[in-house]
Amino acid sequence: MEIRKRKIAGGSGASVNGEDDRDSSSDSYKSGRIRSPKRIFFFCLAFRVVNALLIQTYFNPDEHWQSLEVAHRTVFGYGYLTWEWKKGIRSYLHPMVFAFLYKFLQVTGLDTPYIMSKAPRLMQSIFSALGDLYLYKLSDALYGENVAAWSLFCQLANWFMFFCLNRTFSNCLETVLTIMGLYHWPCIRDSSKDYPANRKWGLVIAALACAIRPTSAIIWLYVGTLELFLTPNKVKFIILEVIPIGSLVLGFTCLLDRLMYGAWVIVPLNFLKFNFFSSGGDYYGTHPWHWYFTQGFLVMLFTFTPFSISGIIKSRNQKLSALILWVLAIYSILGHKEFRFVLPVLPIALIFSGYAFAQMEASSSSPITKKKQVPRKNHTIKWSSKLRLSVFFLLATNIPMALYMSLFHQRGTEDAMNYLSEEAYKGRVKSILFLMPCHSTPYYSTLHRNIPMQFLDCTPSEEKGKLDESDRFLMNPLEFASELGRNWLEPPSHIVLFASEETKLGDFMIRHSFKEVKRFFHAHFKVDRDLQSSVVVYAAI
C-alpha cells in the first residue's frame, strides 16, 4: 500500500516507507474514492451501532447518574440529582445532549422500556463514529493513508475503546472532541491543501470540551501553549481568537446553567475548587501516584502497549507523545484516579500503534519507485509472518476481553433494572428499595416510571470520619435493614440487593414477607469489597 509523503508534525518529516504517491493515477483515484470520509464514517457507524447494542454491563455510576438521570429529570420531570448538582460542580451542557433525545422519544411516543435503555448508547455511537473518522483523518494528515488505516484498525480493535467509548460518560464525548480538535490545530500537524488546519474551529471544539468537562483544560493548556510558542502572530492568536471564542462558549454555558440551576453558577470554578483545591474526589478512594503509568493506562492499552511504544520511538513525534505524558503526569497528582479520566489520550497512543504496524507492513513489501509505479490491482502486498502474528495476537487478546467486559462482567444491575422497568410498565411495581452500595444500578432514566424509590445515600460528609448510609449498611446489613424496617409507614413492593448481602438478610426478608422473584448473574470475580456474584430482586408477598 502506498503512503503519501508528508512532513511529520514534531517528527523527521518522512513518510513511513519514504515514497511519494501523490502522482495522479487511476489507482490512487480509486483508493481515494474507497477511503472517502463518508464511506469511512458509515463503516465506523455500523461498527459502533453493533458495539452499542452489545454493551450489556454496568461500568461506573456516572454513566447514568451524571448524564441520563439529569436529562430524564429535565424532560420528564422526575429523576434524581446527586449532591454534585446541588453544589453546582456539573454543567448541564452534556446532559442536554441526551435531553433532546428523550424529548424526541417523548413527543413520538417511543419512550418504551427497551428503547429508553438502548437509545442513549445508540446516540453515543454516532459521536463515537465521528471520533473514529477524525482519528483516521488526523493520522492521514500526519503520516499518510496507510498509517491512517492501521490506526483505525487499532482504534476499533482496542478492548477498552469497545467497552467504554459508546457509554454516556462526559469523558466519552470529551474524547471525541479531543480528536476532532487536535485535527484542526496547526501546532499538531502541518496544514495542506488536502488537509487544511483551521485554528478557530480547533478553539471552538477545545472550548466545548472544557465546558463539558473542565479537566479537559489539561489537554488544551498544553496544545494552546504549544500553538502560542510556534505561531508568528501571538497577539492575534490571544486577542482575536482565544479570548472571543472562549468568552462566547463560556458565556453560553453559563447562561444555560443559569437557566437550569435558577441562579448564576460558575461550574468550572466550583469543579476546580472541589476536585483540585480541596481534593474532594479522594472521598471515593485514592491510588498511588504512579497508578496510571504502572496499571491504569497500561490496562487500557493492554496488548497494544509494545506497539504504541514502538510507534512513539520510530515516529519521533515529540508533540503528541509529550501530550500523553503530560496528561498522565497531571492526573497522577490527584489522589482519586479512574481509567476513564485519561480516555482522551488513548486514541493518540493507538495512532502510534498504527504507525508501528504501517512500518512493519512497509518493511515486508517490495519498494515502489517513482519511475515505475505498480498499479494496486496488480501489486499484492504480502504480509510478513511477524505482521500476521502481531495482528492475530492483538485480535486474540482484545476481542475476548472486549466481549467479556461488555457482555458479562457487572451486567446484573443493568438486567435487574431492565426487568423492573418492564414490570413497572405493566403496573406490577409500586416502590423499590435498593439495599446495596449507593449508585450500584441505573435509576429513573432506565425505570422510566415515576414511582417511589430509595437507595443508600453516600453524599460526602463535611464531618470527617462520619459514615454514610452505604458504609453503615455494609458494616452491618441486618442491623441497618432492621432499623429501616421499623420506620416504614408502608413497605416497598420490591427490594434489590447483591447476593453477598442476601445471606445476612434472610431472616429480615422472611419477617417482612418478601420472597425472591428474580436473580441475575452479575460478576465472576470480586467487585469493590466482595464477590457480587448475583443481583437478587425480592417482592412483597
Side-chain angles (χ1 to χ4, degrees), residues 507-523:
D507 291 340
F508 173 84
M509 294 298 183
I510 294 171
R511 188 164 64 250
H512 289 275
S513 302
F514 284 94
K515 69 171 182 177
E516 178 186 331
V517 292
K518 208 73 176 177
R519 182 178 295 263
F520 300 95
F521 165 78
H522 187 61

Side-chain angles (χ1 to χ4, degrees), residues 1 54 70 92 134 172 209 229 232 254 270 284 317 342 379 465 517:
M1 298 173 99
L54 284 174
V70 182
Y92 276 88
Y134 271 87
C172 297
F229 180 75
C254 283
N270 294 340
Y284 293 106
N317 189 327
V342 295
H379 177 65
V517 292

